[in-house]
Every structure is written in structure tokens, then in C-alpha cells.
Amino acid sequence: MNGFLIVNGLSGLLIVSSLLVTLAGNPANSARFYALQSFILVMLFVALAGATGSGELYLWSFTALLTKVILVPAIMYRTFRRLSDPAIGSGAVMPTALSIVGAAVTVILCFGVASKVTLPAADAIKPALAVSLALFFIGLGCIVAQRNILKQVFGYCLMENGSHLTLALLAPNAPELVEIGIATDAIFAVVVMAALGSRIFDTLHTLDARQLTSLKG
């Protein structure tokens, strides 16, 4: 049971780190905070592996360390640090206080949903399950609420982390091949989106998604 307490405790840090990712002043800082969140996710996987006796999760942890903590943030940081659009600042549509309130409401609603789950495997990890759902919706909110194209990429990354955590919590004995598929999908998605963001900036000299109306038609 102590292992599950650690899992639930670490999941709370994921919410804090998700706010740091979405509210950071520039995409380069968001990349650093995303690496921090991914490291917390790896530690959560290790704790969950110990609590459930799942050898597969130890392999998941190693793969996530290489991809989410090292490779993906390095790609994003290297790509994004040269791109700057002072005209849109952080790119947030909503004020910081309202974003925090929205995240809190999302977490509360997800706790309500998770409390209704009746699967035996979810009994001890319902707080973490609620966080995984909230992480997905916070990422979705980041995509919707950010004007900065590069910050929207991090919204996708948060959604992917939330989905990844949900799978680990509900299917800790899933084959390592599943984790490899998830990691590969995340890497290729980030590479494609980073390349598109760079191309848009080089062409239009802005990262403001509202300025892409010239692409219509």
C-alpha cells in the first residue's frame, strides 16, 4: 500500500509541473519544465512497478527516461530556443490566475469521474487516475488557450503524458512493445510539429496562431 501512496503523491506533482509548462514565459522554459514533468512520470512508473510487481513497467521507465526526459525535450529546446516572437509574449489567451482556477476545476471534475470507476485494479490509484485524466484535459486546454504555436505543441505533449499514465495505471503488465509504440509516436509527432512551427516562423515571422489566416483558401 505504501507504494501506491507514493504513486498518488507523485501524481500531484504532475499537475504542478503541467502548470509550469503551460504558464512558462517562453517555449524554451516550457521544454525544461516538460523534462521535469517527464522525470516525475518516470519516478511514478518505478514506484508503480514496485507496488504492482510489474517487470514491464521497469522497462517502460527506462524507455520513458530516454525519450520523454532526454530526447523529446532536447529536440524541442534545440528547435524552440532560436524562435522568439515578443509580440505575443507567453502567448496565453487567459490570465494566469484564471488558468490556475481552470486547472483546479478540471482536477476536481476528474476526481469526481475517477471516484465512479469500479475496476478492482483502480481502487488504490484513483487519485493518480484522476490526475492522468486532468493532465489530458489541461493539455487540451493549453492547445485551445495558447496563441503561441510552439506552446500548443506542449499541450499535445501533456495530453500524451496523461494518456501514457492512464495506460500504465490500468494496464501495468502491458507488453513493452506498447510503450515503444507510444514513445515512437510522441517523438515523431514532436519532430513534425517542431518542423512545422519553425517553417511557419521562417515564412511569416510570427508564432501567433491567429496570424495564419493567410493559409486559408
Side-chain angles (χ1 to χ4, degrees):
M1 184 60 67
N2 289 335
F4 290 119
L5 289 176
I6 295 174
V7 169
N8 291 327
L10 287 173
S11 67
L13 296 178
L14 294 177
I15 296 298
V16 176
S17 59
S18 68
L19 290 175
L20 293 175
V21 170
T22 57
L23 299 178
N26 60 69
N29 286 335
S30 290
R32 297 187 185 97
F33 289 129
Y34 172 75
L36 173 63
Q37 179 182 91
S38 297
F39 181 75
I40 296 171
L41 187 64
V42 168
M43 294 298 99
L44 192 153
F45 285 167
V46 171
L48 186 62
T52 60
S54 171
E56 289 82 0
L57 273 177
Y58 286 113
L59 295 176
W60 281 37
S61 303
F62 178 72
T63 305
L65 179 66
L66 291 179
T67 58
K68 294 177 177 294
V69 180
I70 299 174
L71 188 56
V72 170
I75 293 172
M76 293 192 292
Y77 182 79
R78 185 179 181 85
T79 304
F80 297 166
R81 68 176 179 176
R82 71 178 184 86
L83 305 180
S84 177
D85 190 355
I88 61 172
S90 67
V93 174
M94 297 188 299
T96 298
L98 186 58
S99 298
I100 294 174
V101 171
V105 171
T106 300
V107 172
I108 292 172
L109 292 176
C110 289
F111 265 87
V113 172
S115 67
K116 304 298 183 181
V117 175
T118 57
L119 295 174
D123 286 342
I125 42 85
K126 284 187 177 180
L129 182 60
V131 167
S132 72
L133 297 175
L135 199 59
F136 180 90
F137 287 109
I138 290 174
L140 180 61
C142 179
I143 294 175
V144 173
Q146 289 286 340
R147 295 188 290 127
N148 190 318
I149 296 169
L150 302 183
K151 294 296 287 291
Q152 293 176 348
V153 175
F154 289 101
Y156 165 83
C157 291
L158 293 179
M159 292 174 66
E160 195 272 336
N161 272 357
S163 300
H164 198 174
L165 178 56
T166 301
L167 178 61
L169 291 170
L170 296 181
N173 294 308
E176 172 66 8
L177 184 62
V178 175
E179 157 63 18
I180 293 174
I182 294 173
T184 303
D185 175 73
I187 292 172
F188 279 104
V190 167
V191 168
V192 170
M193 289 187 287
L196 287 175
S198 298
R199 184 63 180 271
I200 289 171
F201 183 80
D202 291 340
T203 302
L204 301 178
H205 307 293
T206 183
L207 295 172
D208 192 340
R210 298 179 303 176
Q211 303 302 317
L212 300 185
T213 54
S214 60
L215 298 179
K216 291 183 179 179

